[in-house]
Amino acid sequence: MKPTDLRGILQYIPRFRDKIFVLSVDGAIVTEENFATILTDVAVLRSLNIRVVLVHGAGAQIKTLAEQQGITPSNIDGTGITDAPTLQIALTAANRLTHEILEGLAAHDLRAASTNAITAYPMGILQGIDHLFTGKVERIDTELLQILLTQNILPVVPPFGFDGDGRTYRVNSDGVAVAVAEALKATKLIFITTHDGLERGGQLIRQILSADLDLMLNGKESFPAETLSKAKHASAACKAGIPRVHIINGRINEALLAEVFSNEGVGTLIYANEYQQIRKALKKDVRNILQLTQNSVQTEELVKRTRTTLERQIPDFYIFEIDKHPVGCVALHLYPEQSKGELACLYVRSSHENQGIGRKLIQFVENRAQELGLNELITLSTQAFTYFQSKAGFSEGTPEDLPPTRREKYEASGRNSKILVKKLVKQDVARS
């Protein structure tokens, strides 16, 4: 499914309708050729009644303008010292950028307005150094932003705040985006950058729990300077109650839609809570299970099951969901006379492999079997038997370990699957 496929997008509409997305766009992205495509993506979001607030930075433009004027800026990203010349350059650069964004939105028939919704106060003197015109966000004019959103006007928020006397302070755009998202109780905060996302060991992190991100930020393992701010602010956003924070590369065509309207995404997702769950399969899931497992059936990893068979066995199946989308499944077939259960049809979508989902499904089935008072768990495998032995504690068994009815099917199938067995330890019933 292509992310722009309307049929794929439709399933998300009920969940996102009238919700607020805050987009935080780096200044370097605004001057990219692909920015026009990003604005087209924004137009798609608006057409689906998703409310959008756009926060932008101006670091790249400040650097360029300073070079043109022969001035050395005291700070680029709004976190260090901002002297008077740097403030003037920042105002000029950001105002031009805001105008370009408004022009682009107008070209897509989107009503928009630049706002002064940020009340700020000076960062002050830190470690003996006066940060002059660098500020911190004190308050967001939520009423102003909500009025604009209600009138279908897209608020554009530049990286500046104003105090009660009308003085202007530079504020870091990442920090502004977090503050705006928190104030508006946004569903998503999306950082649109020049990087693919957060990386660990040179590999893109597709998704990470905010608590795990905090461990990385607080430990020896950290992030390069160009993505460190995004990582820190993503963590802060999750702590502030934003359920989903995304970091994507704005240079990738259709990156915004691909991140929002596909299960795999293109960047890094940081999520504030365990959004993964295992639930009992329903009759409507038969089609999902057939689609999930079709590749493994073709490669003979899993036995072929007909729709009729699945419909009959559906009470035995469980689905692993991410954001309400099935990415894995497993079944527990019961043989109560022998006090045994069979773990069957374990599968995880290839896009979600190596994330521990398979082990969670196995553990779930094991716990369920224990709850039902079973003494032994069996499973049959043609290609993944070493996984069950090394990761799940199964041992190789023989056909004699199978219940009689299961042994008949085993011998008739001709698959010659490995038989794996695991004794279950009895657990005391909780007293609470």
Side-chain angles (χ1 to χ4, degrees):
M1 183 194 74
K2 293 182 179 179
T4 49
D5 184 345
L6 181 59
R7 289 170 297 177
I9 291 175
L10 285 174
Q11 63 183 311
Y12 293 87
I13 294 176
R15 203 181 326 150
F16 293 154
R17 184 184 291 119
D18 296 325
K19 296 297 192 293
I20 295 173
F21 289 5
V22 174
L23 309 184
S24 179
V25 185
D26 284 355
I29 289 295
V30 179
T31 54
E32 288 282 333
E33 184 178 344
N34 196 53
F35 186 63
T37 303
I38 293 174
L39 295 181
T40 301
D41 292 353
V42 171
V44 172
L45 298 181
R46 288 295 304 117
S47 71
L48 299 174
N49 289 325
I50 296 170
R51 300 180 177 188
V52 177
V53 178
L54 197 154
V55 177
H56 72 83
Q61 288 72 21
I62 292 169
K63 184 177 180 181
T64 299
L65 189 59
E67 290 173 354
Q68 291 173 353
Q69 296 185 6
I71 296 173
T72 301
S74 58
N75 176 252
I76 295 293
D77 65 0
T79 58
I81 302 166
T82 301
D83 59 20
T86 301
L87 177 63
Q88 291 306 311
I89 290 173
L91 284 167
T92 301
N95 287 337
R96 287 180 186 173
L97 204 58
T98 301
H99 183 74
E100 285 184 40
I101 292 170
L102 292 174
E103 276 187 338
L105 293 169
H108 289 79
D109 292 325
L110 292 174
R111 301 166 70 202
S114 178
T115 69
N116 60 345
I118 310 299
T119 298
Y121 61 93
M123 188 173 284
I125 300 171
L126 300 176
Q127 297 180 341
I129 300 173
D130 191 343
H131 281 58
L132 301 173
F133 296 102
T134 299
K136 277 188 174 182
V137 176
E138 179 179 5
R139 185 176 61 84
I140 304 296
D141 190 342
T142 309
E143 183 182 4
L144 170 60
L145 296 178
Q146 289 285 15
I147 288 172
L148 292 173
L149 290 170
T150 302
Q151 297 297 318
N152 292 321
I153 298 172
L154 193 156
V156 177
V157 184
F160 296 103
F162 309 90
D163 68 9
D165 297 320
R167 286 185 289 262
T168 302
Y169 296 95
R170 281 186 69 204
V171 284
N172 176 263
S173 62
D174 293 343
V176 171
V178 172
V180 169
E182 179 182 8
L184 293 175
K185 296 180 171 56
T187 299
K188 288 183 181 292
L189 169 57
I190 304 173
F191 290 106
I192 303 176
T193 75
T194 56
H195 302 278
D196 290 338
L198 302 180
E199 293 187 351
R200 175 192 287 146
Q203 296 293 318
L204 179 66
I205 301 173
R206 288 293 182 184
Q207 58 190 47
I208 185 170
L209 187 66
S210 60
D212 294 335
L213 176 60
D214 290 341
L215 290 175
M216 292 182 67
L217 288 168
N218 296 328
K220 295 180 180 178
E221 187 178 17
S222 191
F223 300 96
E226 55 267 23
T227 57
L228 182 59
S229 175
K230 299 294 185 287
K232 288 181 176 178
H233 284 92
S235 172
C238 289
K239 288 184 176 71
I242 312 305
R244 303 283 184 275
V245 182
H246 305 257
I247 303 172
I248 64 173
N249 190 338
R251 292 169 173 166
I252 298 174
N253 191 39
E254 295 182 338
L256 180 55
L257 294 187
E259 183 70 15
V260 172
F261 295 122
S262 71
N263 201 30
E264 291 79 15
V266 296
T268 298
L269 165 65
I270 302 95
Y271 54 99
N273 59 318
E274 278 286 6
Y275 73 135
Q276 305 165 327
Q277 65 172 358
I278 300 171
R279 63 166 176 82
K280 200 167 182 62
L282 305 173
K283 200 166 185 177
K284 66 180 181 181
D285 292 309
V286 168
R287 182 168 174 265
N288 288 328
I289 294 170
L290 287 170
Q291 289 180 338
L292 269 175
T293 59
Q294 62 182 355
N295 289 337
S296 280
V297 169
Q298 290 171 2
T299 58
E300 298 186 357
E301 291 178 73
L302 294 178
V303 68
K304 184 176 181 179
R305 291 170 174 83
T306 65
R307 179 179 291 273
T308 302
T309 300
L310 276 174
E311 287 176 350
R312 187 176 67 251
Q313 295 180 338
I314 202 67
D316 293 352
F317 277 78
Y318 297 89
I319 299 291
F320 192 107
E321 287 187 326
I322 294 182
D323 272 353
K324 298 185 179 179
H325 291 278
V327 299
C329 64
V330 72
L332 173 60
H333 302 313
L334 303 179
Y335 300 93
E337 294 84 0
Q338 291 78 33
S339 192
K340 294 184 179 184
E342 179 186 359
L343 187 156
C345 200
L346 175 66
Y347 183 77
V348 178
R349 194 186 295 274
S350 59
S351 58
H352 289 77
E353 290 177 348
N354 302 316
Q355 296 177 21
I357 295 174
R359 274 183 281 183
K360 288 182 180 179
L361 285 167
I362 293 172
Q363 188 62 57
F364 175 85
V365 166
E366 185 174 332
N367 292 343
R368 182 66 182 138
Q370 288 173 327
E371 290 170 4
L372 294 172
L374 303 182
N375 296 325
E376 194 173 86
L377 202 57
I378 58 172
T379 191
L380 280 69
S381 176
T382 58
Q383 298 173 41
F385 45 87
T386 55
Y387 176 87
F388 284 102
Q389 290 172 313
S390 62
K391 302 295 185 183
F394 282 76
S395 302
E396 188 168 349
T398 68
E400 283 72 29
D401 292 306
L402 299 176
T405 55
R406 186 64 182 93
R407 183 172 179 178
E408 289 176 9
K409 292 180 181 178
Y410 170 78
E411 291 173 348
S413 72
R415 283 170 57 83
N416 198 29
S417 303
K418 291 274 190 181
I419 297 166
L420 301 158
V421 180
K422 184 172 185 178
K423 299 290 184 183
L424 300 177
V425 179
K426 293 284 187 182
Q427 292 183 337
D428 292 335
V429 178
R431 297 182 183 274
S432 57

